[in-house]
Structures are given as C-alpha cells and as structure tokens.
C-alpha cells in the first residue's frame, strides 16, 4: 500500500490522466483488490472481469473521493458495489436461463471452489467455502468483519447501512452457518485461532 501523501499525489495524477501514476497505484493495490473481489464474487472465474469493472468505476468516481476520509474504506465501498452489481446481473441471467432452457447445471453458478490460492491456511479455506454460500449481503459483512478486521461501525460505513443493520446481517450470517454442526465446529476453531468468539 502507498503512504498517505504518496497515495493522494498518485490519485490526483491519475485523475489528470497520468499513466505512470496509474501504474504505481495498480502495483500497490492490485493484490488487495483481487483478493477482496475473489472473496465477494459468486463465481471465482468471474474475478478478473469484476476487477476490471472496479478499475473502471474507480476512474469514473475519483472526482467524488473525499481526500479527508480513509481511501481504503472508500475503495472497499467501490469494490462491494461493483461485486454486488455483477452478482445481481449474474442472478438475472441465471433466472432467464432457467426459464428458457433445460440446462439445470447452471445452478452451479452460485457455488465457488474452496481451492483458492489466496487463502492458504486450511481453516480459512474451510470457512471461505462456507461463507461463499451465504447471500451476498450477509457475505459482505462477514468478509469485512473477519477477513479485513473491520469494526461493525466501519462495516456499516463502507456498505452505507445503519450500524444496527450491519449487526443484524452479521447475526443472520452466523445463524445460517451455525445450522450445520460441522460448520459450527469449523467456525468455532477459526475464531478461537483468532482470539475471537462467536
């Protein structure tokens, strides 16, 4: 990641169309953006397309960024918005396909392999597989709360929702994951390793 002053200069130069500034930004943030999209997108094979959407949205929205506020939170909000838009489009296409064809294998669109090279520890891979099955609104809260270690207030700020809604979605997500005893066991182990509790 870039230091604050270096980042602000880079963003300003990017807004002016400076290609070198974009290259510097891309080098510093490409892994972070890719990992975050990978965690949020419904299908891992769509990650590269959604990442491209994020960069396009970034260029379109740079003039709206308030330099007095944390850039990473603003960027996360952008990533969440683009991923949610992509997932909604994907779901609409999926429903259309179900109505117009008999290809039931399309149902696999909502599942993502747990064999993610980004998530290296076994417990995180197991949890990621469980989290990927959550609805996108619930998944977004879990990803930011536990993978990015945001407070509930920070989650609410990024998603532009009330604090109570962020907590409610977190509660709903945990409740869904707790329904299966095996899931509960994996979750408990994961949180214990992080020094947290469910």
């Amino acid at each position: 990641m870039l230091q604050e002053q270096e980042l602000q200069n880079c963003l300003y130069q990017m807004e002016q169309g400076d290609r070198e500034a974009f290259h510097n930004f891309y080098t510093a943030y490409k892994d972070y953006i890719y990992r975050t999209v990978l965690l949020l997108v419904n299908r891992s094979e769509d990650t590269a397309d959604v990442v491209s959407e994020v960069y396009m949205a970034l260029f379109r929205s740079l003039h709206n960024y308030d330099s007095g506020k944390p850039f990473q939170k603003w960027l996360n909000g952008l990533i969440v918005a683009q991923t949610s838009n992509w997932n909604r489009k994907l779901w609409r296409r999926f429903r259309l396909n179900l109505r117009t064809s008999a290809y039931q294998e399309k149902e696999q669109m909502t599942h993502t392999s747990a064999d993610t090279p980004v998530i290296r520890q076994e417990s995180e891979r197991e949890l990621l597989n469980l989290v990927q099955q959550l609805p996108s609104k619930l998944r977004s809260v879990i990803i930011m709360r536990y993978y990015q270690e945001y407070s509930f207030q920070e989650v609410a700020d990024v998603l532009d929702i009330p604090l109570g809604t962020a907590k409610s979605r977190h509660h709903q997500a945990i409740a869904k994951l707790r329904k299966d005893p095996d899931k509960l066991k994996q979750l408990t182990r994961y949180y214990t390793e992080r020094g947290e509790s469910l």
Side-chain angles (χ1 to χ4, degrees):
M1 300 288 187
L2 299 172
Q3 295 299 316
E4 183 62 26
Q5 189 57 53
E6 187 181 8
L7 172 63
Q8 296 302 328
N9 291 339
C10 186
L11 294 176
Y12 174 77
Q13 291 167 359
M14 283 170 59
E15 196 173 355
Q16 306 307 309
D18 188 321
R19 291 187 178 184
E20 184 177 350
F22 172 73
H23 175 74
N24 292 338
F25 175 87
Y26 178 80
T27 300
Y29 284 89
K30 63 184 176 68
D31 291 339
Y32 177 82
I33 292 174
Y34 184 88
R35 282 197 305 267
T36 306
V37 170
L38 181 62
L39 290 168
L40 293 171
V41 75
N42 280 342
R43 303 193 315 165
S44 59
E45 58 265 38
D46 291 337
T47 302
D49 290 328
V50 180
V51 167
S52 295
E53 296 282 336
V54 169
Y55 283 113
M56 286 190 286
L58 176 70
F59 277 111
R60 288 195 302 266
S61 306
L62 264 179
H63 65 281
N64 293 325
Y65 168 60
D66 180 354
S67 60
K69 295 183 178 179
F71 175 74
Q72 195 165 322
K73 287 184 185 178
W74 182 81
L75 178 61
N76 277 333
L78 205 65
I79 293 171
V80 168
Q82 293 307 309
T83 306
S84 297
N85 288 342
W86 183 273
N87 288 336
R88 280 196 297 271
K89 291 176 187 175
L90 195 64
W91 177 240
R92 285 197 294 270
R93 290 199 300 270
F94 175 50
R95 291 174 60 190
L96 180 61
N97 285 337
L98 284 180
R99 288 197 300 266
T100 59
S101 74
Y103 297 135
Q104 296 301 318
E105 67 268 21
K106 295 285 186 178
E107 293 177 3
Q108 296 175 3
M109 292 172 74
T110 55
H111 300 293
T112 303
S113 170
D115 296 328
T116 302
V118 178
I119 308 300
R120 292 180 176 86
Q121 295 185 3
E122 184 62 28
S123 60
E124 290 194 14
R125 280 202 303 269
E126 292 171 358
L127 182 58
L128 176 59
N129 190 39
L130 304 178
V131 171
Q132 291 279 0
Q133 299 172 38
L134 293 171
S136 60
K137 286 183 178 181
L138 304 185
R139 189 189 323 146
S140 298
V141 172
I142 293 295
I143 293 299
M144 279 187 273
R145 181 75 179 94
Y146 294 104
Y147 283 88
Q148 298 181 345
E149 300 182 356
Y150 277 24
S151 68
F152 282 115
Q153 186 60 62
E154 289 172 325
V155 171
D157 291 344
V158 169
L159 296 177
D160 195 24
I161 56 176
L163 176 60
T165 302
K167 291 182 177 180
S168 174
R169 289 182 184 178
H170 174 266
H171 178 76
Q172 292 174 51
I174 296 300
K176 283 181 177 291
L177 294 171
R178 274 178 164 163
K179 286 181 180 178
D180 186 319
D182 290 333
K183 292 179 181 179
L184 178 57
K185 183 178 178 182
Q186 292 170 5
L187 279 169
T188 302
R189 185 175 73 238
Y190 178 76
Y191 290 136
T192 299
E193 290 171 353
R194 293 169 59 91
E196 302 209 26
S197 59
L198 282 171

